C-alpha cells in the first residue's frame, strides 16, 4: 500500500483462491490443467475442422468458429491465473493486471451473448425462410453481425474498466475469488461504487435481456415451424440443433446472470458458479455442438481421412 496526504491506496491485491490446503490445491491444479488443455484442444479442433472442410463453409459454422475462438480466448483469461494461484505461495496481483482481466472477462461475456443470439437468428432464417436464407444471411450480413458482436463486447468491457478505474481502493485488498471479477473487486472500493454497479446492471438488463429476447423469439418461430413439418427426420434434426443451442444458452445465462445480478458475498456457491461459467462452459460448448451435430462429425472424419500433403 502507498500512503500520501492521509490517503491509503492499495497497490496490490491478493486472490484468496479456492483452497489453502496444499493437497487440495495440487488436486485442483491437475483437474483444472486437464480441463484447460481439453478446452483448447476442443475449441481449436472445431476451428480447424470448420476451416478445412468446405461443407462447413456456411453462415452457421462461420458463427460457430467465432464462438469457439472466443471460448478458447475466455478460458485463457481465467485458467492460467487460477493455475498460477494454486501453485504460488504469494497470490498477489497488480491493479493493472486485475482491471485488465475484469475488462477481458466482461468483453468475452458480452460478445458471447451477442454471438449466441446471432446464431439463433441465423437458424431462424434457415428453418423459417429457407428459400431466402442465402440472400438474408449472405457473407456481408454475417460479417457485419459478427463485427457488431465483437464491437459491443469491446465497448462494454472498456466502459466498465474506465468506471472501475475511477474508484478508490484503500483496503482491505483481499479478493474472495480465484480471479479478478467485477462483483468481488467492487466490494473493496472505499469510494461509492454506485456508477459502476448501475452500469453493469444496466448492461446485464439491456444486453442480456435484449439478446435473450432475440434468442427466445427466434426459437419460438423455429419450434412452431418444426411442428408443422411432416418429415420426422427434418423435425429430429431441427429439435436436435435446438436442444444443443438451448443447453449452451441455459448454462451461459444461468451462471452469468446469477453471478452478476446478485450481491457479491464471497460464498462457496459464488465460487462454484464462477468455476462453472469461466472454466467448465468453454469446455462444454465444443462438445455439445460437435457430439450432437452429424455434419461436424462427418467433416471431422473427412479431415482425418485426407492424405497429408507436404508443402514447402
Amino acid at each position: 500500500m502507498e500512503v500520501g496526504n492521509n490517503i491509503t491506496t492499495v497497490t496490490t491485491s491478493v486472490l484468496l483462491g479456492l483452497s489453502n490446503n496444499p493437497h487440495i490445491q495440487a488436486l485442483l491444479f491437475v483437474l483444472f490443467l486437464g480441463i484447460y488443455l481439453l478446452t483448447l484442444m476442443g475449441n481449436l479442433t472445431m476451428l480447424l475442422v470448420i476451416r478445412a472442410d468446405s461443407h462447413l463453409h456456411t453462415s452457421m459454422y462461420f458463427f460457430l468458429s467465432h464462438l469457439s475462438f472466443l471460448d478458447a480466448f475466455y478460458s485463457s483469461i481465467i485458467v492460467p491465473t487460477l493455475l498460477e494461484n494454486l501453485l504460488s505461495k504469494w497470490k498477489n496481483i497488480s491493479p493493472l493486471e486485475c482491471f485488465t482481466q475484469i475488462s477481458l472477462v466482461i468483453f468475452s461475456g458480452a460478445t458471447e451473448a451477442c454471438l449466441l443470439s446471432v446464431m439463433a437468428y441465423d437458424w431462424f432464417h434457415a428453418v423459417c425462410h429457407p428459400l431466402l436464407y442465402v440472400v438474408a444471411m449472405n457473407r456481408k450480413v454475417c460479417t457485419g453481425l459478427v463485427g457488431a458482436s465483437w464491437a459491443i463486447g469491446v465497448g462494454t468491457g472498456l466502459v466498465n474498466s474506465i468506471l472501475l478505474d475511477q474508484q478508490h481502493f484503500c483496503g482491505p485488498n483481499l479478493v474472495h475469488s480465484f480471479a479478478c471479477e467485477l462483483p468481488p473487486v467492487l466490494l473493496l472500493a472505499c469510494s461509492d461504487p454506485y456508477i459502476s454497479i448501475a452500469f453493469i446492471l444496466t448492461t446485464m438488463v439491456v444486453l442480456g435481456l435484449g439478446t435473450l429476447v432475440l434468442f427466445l423469439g427466434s426459437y419460438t418461430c423455429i419450434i412452431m415451424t418444426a411442428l408443422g413439418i411432416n418429415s420426422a427426420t427434418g423435425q429430429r434434426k431441427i429439435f436436435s440443433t435446438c436442444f444443443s443451442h438451448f443447453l449452451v444458452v441455459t448454462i451461459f445465462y444461468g451462471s452469468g446472470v446469477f453471478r452478476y445480478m446478485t450481491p457479491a458475498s464471497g460464498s462457496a456457491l459464488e465460487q462454484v458458479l464462477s468455476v462453472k461459467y469461466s472454466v467448465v462452459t468453454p469446455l462444454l460448448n465444443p462438445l455439445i455442438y460437435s457430439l450432437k451435430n452429424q455434419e461436424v462429425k462427418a467433416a471431422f472424419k473427412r479431415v482425418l481421412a485426407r492424405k497429408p500433403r507436404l508443402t514447402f
Side-chain angles (χ1 to χ4, degrees), residues 5 45 84 96 100 109 114-115 159 169 172 176 240 264 271 309:
N5 297 326
T45 298
E84 182 182 3
L96 178 60
T100 300
C114 293
L115 282 177
V159 173
F169 295 89
H176 291 271
S240 176
Q271 298 279 37
R309 292 178 294 180

Side-chain angles (χ1 to χ4, degrees), residues 123-143:
W123 189 233
F124 157 74
H125 274 289
V127 174
C128 300
H129 304 109
L131 298 179
L132 299 175
Y133 178 66
V134 177
V135 176
M137 300 301 295
N138 58 56
R139 186 174 184 83
K140 184 177 180 180
V141 171
C142 293
T143 303

Side-chain angles (χ1 to χ4, degrees), residues 98-280:
C98 192
F99 290 178
T100 300
Q101 191 172 65
I102 289 173
S103 176
L104 293 176
V105 166
I106 294 174
F107 150 71
S108 300
T111 305
E112 182 154 344
C114 293
L115 282 177
L116 288 174
S117 64
V118 164
M119 290 173 68
Y121 178 71
D122 172 72
W123 189 233
F124 157 74
H125 274 289
V127 174
C128 300
H129 304 109
L131 298 179
L132 299 175
Y133 178 66
V134 177
V135 176
M137 300 301 295
N138 58 56
R139 186 174 184 83
K140 184 177 180 180
V141 171
C142 293
T143 303
L145 289 172
V146 166
S149 299
W150 286 94
I152 290 172
V154 170
T156 304
L158 186 60
V159 173
N160 275 284
S161 296
I162 292 173
L163 293 176
L164 186 62
D165 189 53
Q166 307 304 311
Q167 300 296 324
H168 179 228
F169 295 89
C170 59
N173 64 338
L174 302 178
V175 180
H176 291 271
S177 182
F178 54 85
C180 278
E181 296 177 293
L182 191 59
V185 170
L186 279 179
L187 286 177
L188 308 181
C190 299
S191 53
D192 188 357
Y194 171 78
I195 296 179
S196 288
I197 293 174
F199 186 80
I200 192 64
L201 289 177
T202 302
T203 300
M204 292 295 293
V205 171
V206 175
L207 184 59
L209 188 61
T211 54
L212 187 60
V213 167
L214 179 58
F215 173 84
L216 293 176
S218 297
Y219 271 83
T220 299
C221 295
I222 290 170
I223 292 172
M224 292 180 66
T225 301
L227 292 175
I229 295 177
N230 295 324
S231 171
T233 303
Q235 283 188 343
R236 188 162 51 249
K237 180 180 179 181
I238 292 173
F239 283 121
S240 176
T241 303
C242 286
F243 175 78
S244 300
H245 207 168
F246 262 109
L247 188 58
V248 170
V249 170
T250 300
I251 294 172
F252 175 76
Y253 277 95
S255 302
V257 169
F258 184 88
R259 187 69 178 94
Y260 281 86
M261 292 291 284
T262 57
S265 61
S267 66
L269 177 60
E270 287 183 357
Q271 298 279 37
V272 170
L273 287 173
S274 292
V275 169
K276 181 181 177 183
Y277 77 79
S278 61
V279 179
V280 179

Side-chain angles (χ1 to χ4, degrees), residues 46-60:
M46 285 291 291
L47 277 171
L48 291 174
V49 170
I50 292 172
R51 182 176 179 83
D53 193 274
S54 60
H55 295 83
L56 302 184
H57 291 176
T58 63
S59 59
M60 174 182 174

